[in-house]
Amino acid sequence: MKAIQISKPSEMKVIEMPDPTMGDGDVLLRMHYVGFCGSDLSTYRGGNPMVKMPVVPGHEVGAEIVSIGKDVPEGLKAGMTVTVNPYTNCGKCASCRNGRVNACQHNETLGVQRWGAMCQYIAMPWEKVIPAGLLTPRTCALIEPMSVGFHAVSRALVTDIDVVLIIGCGMVGMGAVVRAAQRGATVIAADIDDEKLALARQMGAGYTINTLTDDVHASLLEMTSGFGPDVVIEAVGSTPTYQMAVDEVAFTGRVICIGYAKTEISFQTKFFVQKELDIRGSRNAQPSDFRAVIHYLEKGTCPVDRLISRVVTPEEAPAAMQLWDEEPGKIFRILVDFTR
């Protein structure tokens, strides 16, 4: 079957690989659309320490069930449109013991620690296959990244009395914007790109800040009556944005960390104590987050077409990735269409 492989930094190509084999409890999926995410871009750039090359990337999936193996529940049937939960969980570590399987110590994510879904077919354990109702496979490819943003809002314990600043309006940040707005919070979206900020308003942000051209501190004080945001969700993973999160959050506020910073970061640690901050990591997503995103997308209010920057064939994928590498700020999602 046809697959996309990142063989070394800045080198992506189409390869042929064997069709997957199915075991008991497995479901065979035909890929329709698979999205490139930020971790794939990092892998392409040679900056993802969790990846051993060569690797088949991809874990944002819109697929169709082809066949089912033994011991698969009756609710999964051939022809169904599905997405996948791309994370593994060992069931034995502290995270799994505490019911937070999304943060499994030994997690292996498709396309990162193990070969991913950028191919024509994959076999998955039935527990990781998520029916998507009436959603199209194209829309399904947006579920996983949005669910990561939804999970961050859950980690922040956001309510309708909170002011929430979300730094970074990529797909994960947009998911956080949607979920925080759904919970009734006042949402402030911050990014360096005005087009993304305009879309964030459409998806629920009440205020926006361009961190390149606006005075962030002054703007936040004006928007929050001088208090600062109750919650800051960091969805970029850079030194300035992490420092911004700690500096700008209100006293007794919550800082939620999604983005992976590539280098060590220095903080004014006095703010941890003086502000009595709650600083929480947010990793991957829970099954309930996937269900919540599907429920949101089924309403038909999400501007899906604006979130999908390009749809390419496998043969066009290397050029598309090179373009994303050169202009990362202008891309939401690139989907690879494996039906053509």
Side-chain angles (χ1 to χ4, degrees):
M1 67 175 177
K2 186 182 299 184
I4 294 171
Q5 182 187 80
I6 301 175
S7 50
K8 61 183 180 180
S10 300
E11 183 175 291
M12 176 182 287
K13 59 186 178 182
V14 177
I15 64 169
E16 288 292 325
M17 58 185 293
D19 290 344
T21 57
M22 292 178 61
D24 292 348
D26 283 348
V27 177
L28 182 65
L29 305 179
R30 180 192 179 208
M31 296 297 102
H32 284 228
Y33 295 91
V34 183
F36 280 122
C37 82
S39 65
D40 299 324
L41 178 60
S42 179
T43 299
Y44 179 77
R45 289 172 164 175
N48 192 336
M50 295 181 288
V51 171
K52 182 179 179 180
M53 295 190 194
V55 67
V56 173
H59 54 253
E60 301 175 356
V61 169
E64 174 190 353
I65 295 178
V66 176
S67 61
I68 57 175
K70 287 180 58 179
D71 303 323
V72 174
E74 292 183 2
L76 296 174
K77 300 182 184 299
M80 291 179 66
T81 297
V82 298
T83 190
V84 302
N85 181 329
Y87 327 120
T88 64
N89 52 283
C90 70
K92 299 177 181 179
C93 70
S95 299
C96 291
R97 185 180 61 182
N98 292 327
R100 289 161 64 178
V101 296
N102 58 293
C104 174
Q105 181 179 352
H106 306 292
N107 167 66
E108 294 184 349
T109 299
L110 285 174
V112 185
Q113 294 93 343
R114 56 188 172 134
W115 280 30
M118 284 280 176
C119 51
Q120 290 177 294
Y121 297 92
I122 62 171
M124 293 290 295
W126 71 262
E127 297 93 338
K128 299 296 183 180
V129 177
I130 303 173
L134 298 178
L135 297 182
T136 67
R138 180 171 173 268
T139 299
C140 285
L142 304 180
I143 293 172
E144 190 275 340
M146 293 192 76
S147 72
V148 176
F150 272 47
H151 183 65
V153 172
S154 295
R155 292 283 291 147
L157 305 175
V158 170
T159 72
D160 59 348
I161 64 171
D162 287 320
V163 177
V164 180
L165 169 65
I166 295 159
I167 305 173
C169 293
M171 276 297 302
V172 171
M174 287 297 186
V177 167
V178 169
R179 194 57 164 166
Q182 284 183 333
R183 292 191 175 198
T186 299
V187 179
I188 305 169
D191 199 275
I192 61 174
D193 185 83
D194 286 332
E195 183 178 349
K196 289 184 177 180
L197 291 172
L199 184 54
R201 279 189 176 271
Q202 184 177 346
M203 298 183 74
Y207 302 91
T208 56
I209 297 174
N210 186 312
T211 56
L212 285 181
T213 59
D214 297 332
D215 185 325
V216 175
H217 182 68
S219 297
L220 287 172
L221 291 181
E222 182 179 355
M223 293 170 182
T224 62
S225 302
F227 292 106
D230 304 288
V231 174
V232 179
I233 296 176
E234 200 289 335
V236 177
S238 72
T239 296
T241 53
Y242 261 97
Q243 291 172 335
M244 182 190 303
V246 172
D247 292 349
E248 299 299 343
V249 70
F251 274 64
T252 68
R254 289 99 76 195
V255 176
I256 309 301
C257 308
I258 310 176
Y260 275 90
K262 306 301 185 295
T263 60
E264 293 185 0
I265 300 174
S266 298
F267 291 100
Q268 291 286 344
T269 55
K270 66 179 182 180
F271 289 150
F272 298 2
V273 178
Q274 289 178 346
K275 293 185 177 184
E276 198 175 59
L277 298 181
D278 291 336
I279 301 177
R280 294 185 168 195
S282 182
R283 184 182 182 192
N284 299 331
Q286 290 270 22
S288 59
D289 301 307
F290 282 83
R291 293 196 302 271
V293 173
I294 291 170
H295 180 66
Y296 161 66
L297 291 172
E298 285 178 332
K299 295 178 181 177
T301 58
C302 179
V304 170
D305 289 340
R306 293 191 64 188
L307 294 174
I308 299 172
S309 304
R310 296 186 66 185
V311 178
V312 299
T313 65
E315 290 75 17
E316 294 167 337
M321 180 60 83
Q322 183 178 353
L323 178 64
W324 192 17
D325 181 29
E326 295 168 354
E327 297 185 280
K330 296 297 182 182
I331 299 294
F332 277 108
R333 270 303 175 271
I334 298 170
L335 302 187
V336 179
D337 181 355
F338 280 93
T339 67
R340 288 193 272 166

